[in-house]
Amino acid sequence: AGANLAAVNYHFGSKEGLAIAVLTRRIAPINDERRARLQALPLPASQPQQRVLYLIWREPWMSVAPQTYIAQMLALFNWQTVPIAPDVRYPAIMLADYAGQIDRVLLSSEPYPFRERHIAEIRAAIPGVPVQLIDGEMTSWYGSRAIAALDYLRAFTADEGALQQACA
């Protein structure tokens, strides 16, 4: 739009080259910050391992497979999602199958909008396991949100007060 095409071609080789240069300039600082935050995380082995049932849908109940972005984000904090080896990325599950097999249940705020009222339903199906609401945006949206997600998950996984409340 009003740009001197000869100048664009001289400096960037093409309009595509200009677009790449602009995006690289904007993305590089975000990526540098993300790398720094990742390097600052404690090693997963230094944190207690948790077997986590991360629910994303109700009717049918659906979870996440280990190869998903969500599972990889949780694994940074030594939280391992179950089921371990499903055939699909978002398997439909039976809650009762996980009784005695998990350390906690996380109810994502998206895509299904789990709320406080769903906690009792989960506790009835899987008694004795902490059930917590988690911000799905912080675990499933990648890109620039990944920086805030690392801070969120660091606080979430370390919050013993929330864990005590989840067990009540």
Side-chain angles (χ1 to χ4, degrees), residues 53 61 93-102 121-122 124-127:
L53 182 60
W61 295 107
I93 62 157
M94 300 296 294
L95 292 178
D97 292 348
Y98 294 93
Q101 306 297 314
I102 57 173
E121 186 176 3
I122 302 296
I126 309 175

Side-chain angles (χ1 to χ4, degrees), residues 6-165:
V8 168
N9 287 330
Y10 176 78
H11 291 286
F12 302 102
S14 66
K15 288 189 272 186
E16 180 180 323
L18 171 61
I20 290 169
V22 169
L23 289 173
T24 299
R25 184 175 180 178
R26 295 288 304 188
I27 292 171
I30 294 169
N31 201 32
D32 291 345
E33 178 66 19
R34 181 189 59 84
R35 283 188 181 130
R37 297 282 177 96
L38 283 169
Q39 289 175 346
L41 289 177
L43 294 174
S46 69
Q47 299 177 323
Q49 184 177 28
Q50 294 279 300
R51 293 165 300 162
V52 176
L53 182 60
Y54 186 102
L55 296 176
I56 60 166
W57 202 256
R58 181 175 177 270
E59 296 182 5
W61 295 107
M62 294 178 77
S63 186
V64 297
Q67 72 268 26
T68 61
Y69 180 80
I70 294 166
Q72 295 299 309
M73 288 295 284
L74 294 172
L76 292 171
F77 299 89
N78 212 15
W79 286 20
Q80 309 304 315
T81 58
V82 294
I84 301 297
D87 295 332
V88 295
R89 290 173 57 82
Y90 304 103
I93 62 157
M94 300 296 294
L95 292 178
D97 292 348
Y98 294 93
Q101 306 297 314
I102 57 173
D103 299 309
R104 73 179 62 233
V105 177
L106 299 178
L107 303 178
S108 183
S109 62
E110 60 179 50
Y112 186 87
F114 285 107
R115 300 289 184 257
E116 288 286 336
R117 67 181 182 272
H118 298 107
I119 291 175
E121 186 176 3
I122 302 296
R123 285 185 178 153
I126 309 175
V129 175
V131 180
Q132 294 171 278
L133 297 171
I134 189 166
D135 185 343
E137 185 175 310
M138 289 294 152
T139 56
S140 63
W141 292 30
Y142 46 87
S144 62
R145 280 196 171 53
I147 295 169
L150 292 171
D151 293 337
Y152 172 84
L153 286 170
R154 177 186 288 130
F156 188 89
T157 58
D159 190 350
E160 289 300 318
L163 179 58
Q164 296 302 323
Q165 183 178 4

